[in-house]
């Protein structure tokens, strides 16, 4: 949709406040759920549909822009006659101030503006797809972001051509023209000598164009007829804000002001305008048959769409859904993105003020996953949210069960339909009740408790719920932190039954109708864990510990101190009545205490994946069992997409496809393991086999699968009657061949031979090494890019697994007595170091770097098998020559200034056009270092009498030691004559060139 439609017809959208449930970290993508007999999945819901915009229609074809949950850039989508939408691929970035119509359709031709830049640079080509023949034309757009002469910007489609803004005047930088470019034809100039153009609407016959005109750069909206080249002024806005509405239909163009429509016939725009009085002053959009406008609805927190026939033959009607992205196609038909209780999200055609029911007039928008910010477990019940593409969502509950045949989940049933605004989160569940937050951006946050869809007690209201964190919930009361608690070391305890609010010490917990808190015993180093009955007020001491307790969690008689001691990363699990307990690792994430189960977290060896583990607390103590890897959040503001049941041994998570997985954590056949990280089957008698070992507390049948990527390499299987699993892998494939060197993933699956209950899969990595280790080294091309003095930061890293240490070497080219540059021999800088970086020129450096010389750095690696690799390719870094060097000869008005942030602390400046500096460059590459400033001017680079480049040193913010120009001089060292010549400024006040240093690579 053209940008002007978004400016004066903004649709308010309620902002979802985000509340994070205690101790959030950044999770990673989830892996598959554990074995099927102790886990199950709920069907993915794909009813939450992303919004579509940039709608464009032409007869039976409609295209739009849409970004789904998995996309990083918007995609173009096409549907014909309501058919299945086709993904046209990623579009160019439309975030520039001047808008790009990224996807459109006119006269049966689809235009998709794209860029080869994966980061979404503005369009550098436009693909025109002919729907009738399937032919494609690709029209280039010479976009390079410079704004200099020849720079082009895609502005919109014109049937089987495109509209391009092109700069054509180097001196001013503001003179541009609007071109019509067609396949196989010469460009036609439609408008010129302006600052910029924005296409407000276009088709194969003409366009509405917003111009910025000289000399005052005022705004002007004109209609341009492509056939004749004639134009007519439609409006002259005084600011960036356009008129209330613009009309662009197959037969007319015009502007709406209040209830007055001034319009021109497109067939004869020069004949003058006529005036039409509209039945409603709030009308904004006109097609050949429909008049429409938005009206705010406080009930829905959104703008409702009203429509009527253009000639007034049908009354105004509220279309009853959520509509966005209103647009008129080149066929005169009006289309919107539609969200309605009885219709999935669609691109919908409006005719005579009504939603059209004609076949093909509605196109379903591709669905994404349902909203994933509502997930809770309690007492074997799973609570999930489903927004169903509506403004108001529902809360679903599934009953979970586990038995000898495995786990199962009942059909989700609706337990709550949100009626008072959007649901933000299902914050917690306990005792058959759920705690949710509701509200919108225009009203307070309501923390409410529901039981079987019925509101229980008195809601707790906050003006801004984003500052509130739920700490604990027992079904009747909630412990929260807010802005007030962070300053006074307390938590807010709220009772929903009576609306009573009281303060309790920070770190407190709820359980069994009581609040548990820790209190220091006078001036001693011991702390008491106290239980206060919330009905009687009676306080008793249930445990004493000799460390500073962190937050408390309580389930039955068990008490978890999330940390034990100041700055500790270890918790303590103990029972009421006892002061001794078991240490619990809390270094990765705060552990969670459930009824008869303890949930802990571990992080992968690479520091990325965080795994949820469950440890049974009944019977013989068992090793924690991995359940799943924590999934990513839906977005940074959303809640976690996983939860554990603190009243029953269940855990759940949602994947990126919207599938909910639940797994039973009760009494699993937990394993302990030792698995060497690698081995080298090279026949040297040392670590020739991989011999992991696991000990289960039950007899198990097991299978160890070893994969390279997705390809299975080896599978080992057996039965361990005593629970001892000890496979041996000698580095061969299933067919007996030698497995190639590299990293492998392994998965151990085990099943109880008596009960048939499967253990959670255990997986990890093992590296097989057969070749010598390798490493790479990096250094800045110029020392000035990293510091102000002659010191080079050098870093190195392993390219193969198992590297334990490195050797670092260096070489430098110097001039012989005969004047020939010669590369010296390799010298050692560091030997057997475990560090991965150092600074050449600082402490420990073998020499002091010399200005004008080029240093080359090398690295080789040692691995844990005692192997030493070859020297790497060189990382080259030059020490620039300062602006004060005698080799530089200045002509004209130059001034030397000091600047602490400059190379060697000085710079040379000039604003005199024609002033220059000359020098000889005997090397293979030239780099120029300068300071970019708000008054930065331009200079030309002349090599051997030929201008090879122009540099503009302007920048809104000062940036020192910038490499502003790089030029390859040749492949061999040859002497060249170079001049840097001051040019006129690109604009008033931008004429000063600040030269810092230069470097010739040898």
């Amino acid at each position: 949709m053209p940008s002007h439609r978004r400016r004066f017809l903004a649709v308010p959208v309620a902002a979802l406040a985000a509340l994070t449930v205690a101790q959030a970290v950044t999770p990673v993508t989830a892996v598959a759920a554990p074995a099927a007999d102790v886990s199950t999945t709920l069907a993915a819901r794909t009813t939450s549909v992303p919004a579509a915009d940039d709608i464009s229609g032409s007869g039976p074809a409609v295209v739009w822009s849409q970004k789904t949950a998995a996309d990083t850039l918007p995609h173009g989508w096409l549907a014909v006659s309501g058919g299945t939408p086709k993904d046209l691929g990623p579009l160019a970035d439309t975030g520039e101030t001047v808008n790009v119509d990224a996807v459109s359709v006119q006269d049966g031709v689809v235009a998709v503006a794209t860029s080869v830049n994966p980061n979404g640079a503005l369009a550098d080509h436009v693909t025109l797809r002919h729907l009738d023949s399937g032919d494609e034309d690709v029209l280039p757009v010479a976009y390079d972001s410079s704004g200099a002469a020849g720079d082009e910007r895609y502005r919109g489609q014109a049937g089987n051509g495109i509209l391009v803004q092109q700069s054509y005047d180097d001196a001013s930088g503001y003179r541009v023209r609007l071109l019509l470019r067609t396949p196989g034809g010469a460009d036609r100039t439609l408008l010129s000598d302006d600052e910029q153009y924005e296409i407000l609407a276009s088709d194969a016959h003409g366009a509405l164009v917003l111009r910025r005109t000289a000399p005052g750069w005022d705004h002007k909206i004109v209609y341009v007829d492509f056939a004749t080249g004639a134009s007519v002024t439609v409006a002259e806005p005084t600011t960036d804000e356009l008129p209330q509405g613009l009309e662009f239909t197959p037969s007319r163009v015009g502007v709406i002001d209040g209830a007055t429509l001034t319009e021109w016939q497109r067939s004869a725009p020069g004949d003058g305008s006529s005036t039409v009085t509209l039945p409603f002053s709030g009308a904004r959009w006109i097609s050949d048959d429909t008049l429409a406008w938005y009206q705010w609805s406080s009930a829905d927190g959104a703008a409702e769409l009203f429509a009527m026939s253009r000639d007034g033959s049908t009354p105004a009607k509220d279309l009853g859904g959520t509509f966005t992205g209103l647009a008129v196609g080149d066929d005169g038909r009006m289309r919107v993105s539609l969200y309605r209780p009885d219709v999935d999200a669609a691109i919908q055609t409006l005719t005579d003020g009504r939603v059209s029911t004609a076949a093909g007039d509605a196109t379903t928008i591709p669905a994404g996953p349902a909203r994933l910010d509502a997930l809770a477990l309690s007492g074997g019940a799973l609570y999930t949210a489903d927004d169903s593409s509506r403004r108001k969502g529902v809360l679903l509950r599934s009953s979970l069960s586990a038995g000898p045949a495995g786990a199962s989940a009942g059909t989700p049933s609706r337990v709550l339909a949100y009626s008072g605004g959007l649901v933000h989160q299902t914050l917690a569940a306990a005792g058959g009740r759920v705690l949710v937050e509701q509200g919108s951006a225009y009203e307070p946050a309501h923390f409410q408790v529901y039981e079987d869809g019925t509101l229980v007690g008195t809601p707790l209201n906050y003006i801004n719920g984003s500052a509130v964190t739920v700490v604990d919930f027992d079904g009747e009361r909630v412990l929260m932190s807010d802005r007030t608690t962070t300053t006074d070391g307390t938590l807010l305890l709220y009772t929903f039954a009576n609306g009573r609010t009281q303060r309790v010490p920070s770190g407190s917990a709820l359980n069994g109708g009581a609040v548990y808190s820790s209190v220091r015993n006078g001036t001693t180093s011991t702390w008491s864990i106290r239980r206060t009955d919330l009905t009687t007020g009676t306080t008793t001491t249930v445990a004493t510990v000799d460390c500073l307790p962190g937050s408390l969690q309580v389930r039955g008689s068990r008490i978890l101190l999330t940390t034990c001691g100041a700055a500790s990363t270890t918790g303590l699990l103990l029972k009421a009545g006892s002061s001794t307990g078991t240490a619990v690792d809390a270094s990765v994430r705060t552990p969670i205490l459930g009824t008869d189960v303890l949930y802990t977290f571990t992080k992968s060896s690479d520091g990325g994946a965080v795994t949820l583990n469950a440890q049974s607390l009944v019977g013989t103590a068992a090793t924690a069992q991995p359940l799943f890897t924590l999934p990513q959040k839906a977005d940074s503001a959303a809640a976690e997409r996983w939860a554990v049941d603190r009243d029953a041994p269940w855990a759940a998570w949602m994947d990126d496809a919207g599938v909910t997985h639940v797994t039973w954590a009760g009494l699993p056949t937990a394993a302990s393991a030792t698995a060497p990280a690698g081995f080298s089957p090279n026949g040297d008698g040392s670590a020739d086999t991989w011999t992991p070992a696991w000990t289960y507390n039950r007899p198990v049948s097991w299978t160890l699968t070893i994969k390279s990527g997705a390809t299975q390499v080896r599978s080992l299987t057996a039965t361990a009657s005593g629970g001892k699993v000890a496979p041996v892998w000698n580095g061969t494939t299933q067919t007996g061949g030698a497995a190639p060197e590299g990293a492998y993933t392994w998965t151990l699956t085990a099943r109880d031979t008596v009960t048939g209950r499967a253990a959670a899969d255990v997986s990890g990595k093992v590296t097989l090494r057969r070749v010598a280790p390798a490493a790479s080294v990096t250094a800045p091309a110029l020392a000035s890019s990293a510091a102000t003095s002659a010191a080079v930061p050098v870093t190195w890293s392993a390219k193969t697994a198992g590297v334990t240490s490195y050797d670092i070497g260096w070489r430098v080219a110097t001039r012989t007595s005969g004047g020939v540059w010669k590369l010296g021999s390799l010298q050692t800088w560091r030997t057997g170091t475990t560090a991965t970086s150092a600074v050449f020129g600082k402490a420990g450096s073998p020499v002091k770097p010399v200005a004008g010389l080029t240093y080359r750095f090398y690295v080789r690696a040692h691995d844990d098998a005692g192997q030493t690799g070859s020297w790497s390719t060189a990382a080259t870094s030059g020490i620039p020559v300062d602006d004060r060097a005698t080799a530089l000869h200045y002509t004209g008005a130059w001034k030397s200034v000091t600047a602490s942030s400059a190379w060697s602390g000085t710079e040379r400046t000039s604003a005199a056009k024609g002033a220059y500096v000359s020098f000889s460059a005997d090397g293979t590459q030239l780099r120029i270092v300068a300071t970019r400033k708000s008054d930065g001017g331009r200079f030309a680079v002349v090599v051997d009498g030929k201008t090879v480049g122009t540099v503009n040193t302007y920048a809104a913010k000062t940036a020192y030691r910038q490499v502003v120009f790089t030029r390859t001089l040749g492949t061999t060292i040859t002497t060249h004559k170079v001049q840097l010549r001051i040019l006129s400024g690109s604009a008033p006040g931008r004429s000063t060139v600040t030269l810092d240093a230069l470097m010739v690579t040898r």
Side-chain angles (χ1 to χ4, degrees):
M1 183 175 67
S3 63
H4 73 290
R5 293 172 182 165
R6 287 192 292 269
R7 288 182 183 169
F8 62 80
L9 196 58
V11 180
V13 178
L16 299 182
L19 297 181
T20 303
V21 181
Q23 304 286 338
V25 299
T26 302
V28 298
T29 303
V31 297
D37 64 335
V38 288
S39 66
T40 188
T41 61
L42 282 72
R45 299 189 309 278
T46 56
T47 55
S48 177
V49 181
D53 54 24
D54 293 327
I55 302 169
S56 177
S58 179
V62 60
V63 297
W64 65 95
S65 170
Q66 177 185 329
K67 184 170 75 171
T68 62
D71 293 330
T72 57
L73 291 174
H75 282 223
W77 295 82
L78 162 69
V80 180
S81 298
T84 302
K86 177 183 179 182
D87 189 347
L88 300 179
L91 302 175
D93 183 13
T94 59
E96 277 213 353
T97 302
V98 181
N99 198 64
V100 172
D101 288 327
V103 58
S104 57
V105 59
Q106 295 176 8
D107 282 2
V109 180
V110 176
V112 179
T114 55
S115 168
V116 296
N117 185 339
N119 295 320
L122 204 62
D124 56 25
H125 66 280
V126 179
T127 302
L128 299 172
R129 308 182 186 192
H130 297 258
L131 297 179
D132 54 353
S133 64
D135 294 338
E136 289 189 356
D137 295 306
V138 179
L139 297 181
V141 181
Y143 165 68
D144 64 4
S145 77
S146 69
D151 178 34
E152 296 181 345
R153 309 296 173 96
Y154 173 59
R155 288 293 172 248
Q157 183 183 4
N160 67 341
I162 62 174
L163 298 169
V164 176
Q165 174 182 300
Q166 182 185 75
S167 300
Y168 67 95
D169 188 337
D170 270 329
S172 71
Y174 294 112
R175 300 182 65 162
V176 296
R177 52 194 167 210
L178 185 66
L179 305 177
L180 175 60
R181 179 170 296 165
T182 56
D187 290 349
R188 285 181 52 203
T189 299
L190 301 177
L191 300 169
S192 63
D193 205 31
D194 288 13
E195 179 185 21
Q196 67 181 33
Y197 300 104
E198 183 176 347
I199 306 303
L200 305 179
S202 66
D203 58 16
H205 308 291
L208 274 170
V209 184
L210 174 63
R211 308 176 60 180
R212 299 293 304 282
T213 56
W217 306 120
D218 296 324
H219 298 75
K220 181 182 292 186
I221 300 173
V222 300
Y223 170 71
V224 180
D225 184 87
F226 296 156
T228 64
S231 65
V232 60
T233 298
V234 174
E236 296 186 76
T238 58
T239 68
D240 284 333
E241 294 297 323
L242 302 187
Q244 289 180 353
L246 294 174
E247 177 182 19
F248 189 89
T249 72
S251 60
R252 308 175 184 89
V253 296
V255 61
I256 301 171
D257 185 7
T260 300
L261 166 64
T262 304
E263 62 180 15
W264 289 256
Q265 295 295 321
R266 293 178 63 179
S267 59
D271 290 348
S273 61
S274 61
T275 300
V276 179
T277 300
L278 302 175
F280 290 91
S281 62
R284 292 294 183 270
W285 291 97
I286 298 178
S287 68
D288 277 344
D289 56 21
T290 302
L291 175 70
W293 64 95
Y294 285 105
Q295 184 171 315
W296 175 255
S297 170
S298 59
D300 287 348
E304 298 293 341
L305 181 66
F306 288 76
M308 62 180 291
S309 60
R310 176 185 175 118
D311 59 10
S313 60
T314 62
K317 179 182 180 181
D318 182 350
L319 298 186
T322 301
F323 294 81
T324 60
L326 186 63
V328 178
D330 67 343
D331 55 0
R333 306 173 77 186
M334 184 177 290
R335 295 173 176 89
V336 293
S337 299
L338 166 65
Y339 301 83
R340 210 171 62 183
D342 58 335
V343 176
D344 283 337
I347 303 298
Q348 178 66 59
T349 302
L350 306 181
T351 303
D352 285 331
R354 300 180 177 88
V355 173
S356 174
T357 58
D361 275 357
T363 299
T364 301
I365 299 174
R371 187 174 57 216
L372 302 180
D373 62 354
L375 177 66
L377 282 164
S378 175
L382 172 69
Y383 297 87
T384 55
D386 184 353
D387 67 358
S388 301
S389 308
R390 319 291 188 246
R391 280 294 183 181
K392 301 172 184 176
V394 298
L395 189 66
L396 307 176
R397 179 173 62 196
S398 299
S399 297
L400 307 177
S401 61
S408 63
T411 302
S413 61
R414 180 182 295 189
V415 296
L416 172 63
Y418 300 111
S419 58
L422 301 177
V423 59
H424 288 220
Q425 291 183 45
T426 303
L427 299 176
R433 295 178 174 181
V434 290
L435 173 64
V436 302
E437 179 206 353
Q438 292 183 248
S440 72
Y442 304 97
E443 58 186 13
H446 309 295
F447 296 91
Q448 303 174 155
V449 173
Y450 288 89
E451 182 174 8
D452 294 327
T454 302
L455 183 66
V456 176
T458 304
L460 173 61
N461 298 330
Y462 274 90
I463 296 298
N464 181 9
S466 63
V468 181
T469 298
V470 173
V471 176
D472 206 353
F473 174 64
D474 65 1
E476 297 183 4
R477 305 168 187 86
V478 63
L479 278 174
M480 289 182 162
S481 66
D482 57 19
R483 287 194 176 94
T484 63
T485 62
T486 58
T487 60
D488 62 8
T490 67
L491 292 175
L492 175 71
L493 173 61
Y494 183 79
T495 303
F496 288 94
N498 54 23
R500 182 188 177 192
T501 301
Q502 62 188 99
R503 298 288 180 175
V504 298
S506 178
S508 296
L510 294 172
N511 184 66
V515 61
Y516 290 75
S517 305
S518 58
V519 180
R520 186 173 184 176
N521 296 322
T523 59
T524 69
S525 60
T526 64
W527 295 73
S528 293
I529 310 301
R530 295 182 180 176
R531 177 186 186 277
T532 300
D533 189 290
L534 292 172
T535 300
T536 65
T538 303
T539 298
T540 57
T541 298
V542 295
T544 302
V545 294
D546 58 0
C547 65
L548 173 65
S551 297
L552 302 179
Q553 296 181 27
V554 183
R555 275 296 179 270
S557 62
R558 294 188 181 90
I559 304 170
L560 174 66
L561 282 62
T562 56
T563 57
C564 187
S568 172
T569 59
T570 301
L572 184 67
L573 179 66
L574 67 160
K575 286 191 174 183
S578 173
S579 297
T580 60
T582 303
V584 178
D585 181 20
S587 61
V588 176
R589 193 163 177 153
T590 303
I592 302 172
L593 177 61
T595 301
D596 296 333
V597 63
L598 176 66
Y599 298 96
T600 57
F601 302 87
T602 53
K603 185 173 288 188
S604 63
S605 59
D606 60 6
V610 177
T611 300
L612 174 68
N613 310 287
Q615 178 179 341
S616 174
L617 298 177
V618 296
T620 303
T623 304
Q625 169 193 339
L627 297 181
F628 52 77
T629 302
L630 304 189
Q632 294 176 339
K633 294 182 178 183
D635 55 62
S636 60
E640 301 283 10
R641 293 193 299 162
W642 63 273
V644 299
D645 192 335
R646 299 187 64 192
D647 301 313
W650 289 95
W653 56 274
M654 291 179 176
D655 63 22
D656 290 338
V659 177
T660 302
H661 305 261
V662 292
T663 182
W664 184 53
L667 290 175
T669 53
S672 62
T674 57
F679 69 115
S680 54
N682 52 19
D684 63 358
S686 175
D688 283 332
T689 60
W690 183 53
T691 55
W694 292 268
T695 301
Y696 281 81
N697 62 353
R698 297 282 300 169
V700 293
S701 59
W702 57 267
T703 298
L704 178 67
T705 303
I706 301 168
K707 292 184 176 182
S708 175
T711 303
Q712 180 173 311
V713 175
R714 188 70 186 271
S715 178
L716 304 171
T717 185
T719 298
S721 58
K724 297 288 186 178
V725 178
V728 177
W729 183 34
N730 62 1
T732 60
T733 65
Q734 202 70 36
T735 58
E741 183 184 40
Y744 293 82
T745 59
W746 53 262
T747 301
L748 178 71
T749 60
R751 184 176 295 274
D752 191 305
T753 58
V754 176
T755 65
R757 183 177 299 169
D761 289 351
V762 182
S763 61
K765 297 179 181 179
V766 58
T767 301
L768 187 158
R769 306 182 187 95
R770 284 195 172 99
V771 299
S776 61
V777 61
T778 60
L782 292 185
S784 58
S785 297
T788 60
S789 60
V792 182
V794 184
T795 62
W796 50 91
S797 61
K799 296 177 66 176
T800 57
V803 172
T804 57
S805 62
Y806 307 87
D807 298 335
I808 312 300
W810 63 282
R811 303 172 75 182
V812 64
T814 56
R815 193 192 298 268
T816 66
S817 59
V820 177
W821 287 93
K822 183 178 180 181
L823 186 61
S825 60
L826 180 67
Q827 302 183 61
T828 301
W829 177 19
R830 298 286 181 94
T831 301
T833 180
T834 58
T836 57
S837 65
V839 179
F840 192 78
K842 295 294 186 180
S845 178
V847 296
K848 181 179 180 180
V850 177
L853 295 187
T854 303
Y855 294 84
R856 294 164 174 83
F857 301 97
Y858 306 81
V859 62
R860 66 181 179 183
H862 307 280
D863 70 7
D864 52 8
Q867 302 181 99
T868 300
S870 302
W871 287 104
S872 69
T873 56
T876 302
S877 186
I879 310 300
V881 173
D882 184 47
D883 63 281
R884 295 170 292 180
T886 57
L888 304 183
H889 304 285
Y890 295 90
T891 302
W894 290 87
K895 179 181 179 182
S896 181
V897 298
T898 60
S900 60
S901 296
W903 176 251
S904 297
T906 65
E907 299 172 322
R908 195 67 59 100
T909 67
S910 178
K913 180 180 178 181
Y916 64 92
V917 56
S918 59
F919 54 90
S920 294
D922 51 339
T924 58
Q925 193 170 53
L926 170 66
R927 291 183 175 88
I928 300 172
V929 181
T931 300
R932 293 188 183 277
K933 292 185 176 181
S934 59
D935 63 350
R938 302 183 307 140
F939 66 88
V941 182
V942 182
V943 178
D944 296 331
K946 180 180 179 180
T947 299
V948 297
T950 300
V951 180
N952 189 342
T953 64
Y954 167 76
K957 185 177 181 180
T958 299
Y960 292 96
R961 309 191 314 280
Q962 301 296 300
V963 179
V964 298
F965 182 82
T966 300
R967 174 76 175 183
T968 298
L969 301 175
T971 57
T972 60
I973 297 177
T974 306
T975 300
H976 302 270
K977 300 298 183 181
V978 181
Q979 281 189 354
L980 308 183
R981 186 174 294 275
I982 307 300
L983 302 175
S984 60
S986 62
R990 299 179 185 175
S991 59
T992 301
V993 173
T994 303
L995 180 66
D996 195 358
L998 60 89
M999 181 66 204
V1000 179
T1001 301
R1002 302 176 176 97

